[in-house]
Every structure is written in structure tokens, then in C-alpha cells.
């Protein structure tokens, strides 16, 4: 970090290893308490809000984060992206309810480019009517 004095709030996350540890604790807490992990739940666990968490994920080119070392920013970004992927994976697993194929269909369409095909056969039939007096 530079020697320039920062104006405003201090950075919430500056130690990527500590953030990784807290993220892992969050997922363990969810597992132990049978809670579904969410991005907002992660933010609450980290004593911040969802928007702050997402801002850190996009901090690489944001001038507000220029005081953080490049390597620290990259590590923070990767940590948050991995955490969000884990949350997404949990959601995807939850889609597969054994009593319904809806979740499987949803993920196939959204993640594997499957589409519903509907074939419509169109036939033009001409009906000729003659009117006689």
C-alpha cells in the first residue's frame, strides 16, 4: 500500500488469506447449521453488505481501490469469485429435487445451451367456394 493517507472509510478487506479463512468458516457454519449458503449470507457473516462484497470483486480497475497492491486485489477478487461459485453450486444442487425434473431442465437450458424445440407444421389449404344463382 502507498504512504498516501486514505480519505473515507478504511478498506474492509486487505488480507486475502484472512478473507479465505472467513469464507471457509462461513461455508462450514452453513453446513453445520444446515443452512443454504447465499451471497447475502456470506456478506452478513463477513460483517459487510452484499454490494461491498461485489465491489471488491470488481476492484481491479476501480480507482477507489488503487491503494491496494495489485496482487492483493487479484487474490481478493479470486476469493470472492470462488465463494460465489460455491454458492452457485449449492443452488444448482438444490435444483435436483428427486420428485421433479424441473431443476435438471432448468440447468440444462441455462448452463448447457439446451433448448425446447417446438415444431409447427403449417399447411396452406385452399378452399374454393362456388356460388351459383
Amino acid at each position: 500500500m502507498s504512504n498516501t493517507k486514505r480519505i473515507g472509510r478504511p478498506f474492509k478487506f486487505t488480507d486475502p488469506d484472512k478473507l479465505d479463512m472467513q469464507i471457509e468458516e462461513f461455508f462450514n457454519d452453513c453446513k453445520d447449521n444446515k443452512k443454504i449458503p447465499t451471497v447475502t449470507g456470506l456478506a452478513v457473516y463477513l460483517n459487510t453488505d452484499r454490494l461491498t462484497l461485489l465491489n471488491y470483486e470488481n476492484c481491479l480497475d476501480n480507482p477507489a481501490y488503487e491503494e491496494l497492491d495489485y496482487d492483493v486485489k487479484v487474490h481478493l477478487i479470486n476469493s470472492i469469485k470462488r465463494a460465489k461459485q460455491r454458492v452457485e453450486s449449492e443452488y444448482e444442487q438444490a435444483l435436483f429435487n428427486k420428485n421433479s425434473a424441473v431443476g435438471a431442465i432448468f440447468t440444462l437450458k441455462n448452463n448447457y445451451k439446451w433448448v425446447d424445440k417446438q415444431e409447427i407444421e403449417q399447411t396452406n389449404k385452399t378452399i374454393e367456394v362456388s356460388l351459383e344463382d
Side-chain angles (χ1 to χ4, degrees):
M1 298 230 294
S2 68
N3 293 332
T4 316
K5 184 163 175 113
R6 177 163 170 70
I7 298 173
R9 291 179 150 177
F11 291 115
K12 180 71 182 172
F13 308 112
T14 57
D15 183 345
D17 294 326
K18 182 179 177 186
L19 178 62
D20 286 341
M21 186 177 67
Q22 290 174 310
I23 289 171
E24 194 58 39
E25 289 171 359
F26 165 74
F27 283 103
N28 289 336
D29 181 67
C30 287
K31 185 177 180 181
D32 293 346
N33 294 298
K34 296 180 180 14
K35 295 189 291 186
I36 296 172
T38 65
V39 174
T40 303
L42 175 60
V44 169
Y45 191 88
L46 296 172
N47 197 27
T48 191
D49 59 80
R50 188 182 65 81
L51 188 56
T52 298
L53 199 60
L54 298 179
N55 285 340
Y56 270 86
E57 184 184 10
N58 298 303
C59 72
L60 198 56
D61 296 320
N62 187 333
Y65 298 90
E66 68 185 18
E67 292 178 40
L68 291 175
D69 291 335
Y70 178 81
D71 291 342
V72 169
K73 288 192 275 191
V74 169
H75 194 141
L76 291 171
I77 291 166
N78 289 334
S79 296
I80 293 168
K81 283 185 177 184
R82 273 193 312 276
K84 285 177 60 184
Q85 284 178 322
R86 288 176 70 179
V87 168
E88 183 179 18
S89 175
E90 293 279 344
Y91 283 145
E92 195 169 355
Q93 288 296 316
L95 289 173
F96 291 96
N97 178 328
K98 63 183 175 185
N99 298 323
S100 172
V102 174
I105 292 168
F106 177 84
T107 198
L108 287 169
K109 286 180 181 179
N110 287 285
N111 296 316
Y112 301 101
K113 298 181 183 172
W114 285 43
V115 293
D116 283 331
K117 263 190 177 175
Q118 185 176 26
E119 293 184 23
I120 299 173
E121 187 177 318
Q122 185 174 350
T123 324
N124 291 331
K125 293 183 179 180
T126 305
I127 300 174
E128 196 171 305
V129 178
S130 306
L131 297 174
E132 296 180 12
D133 280 339

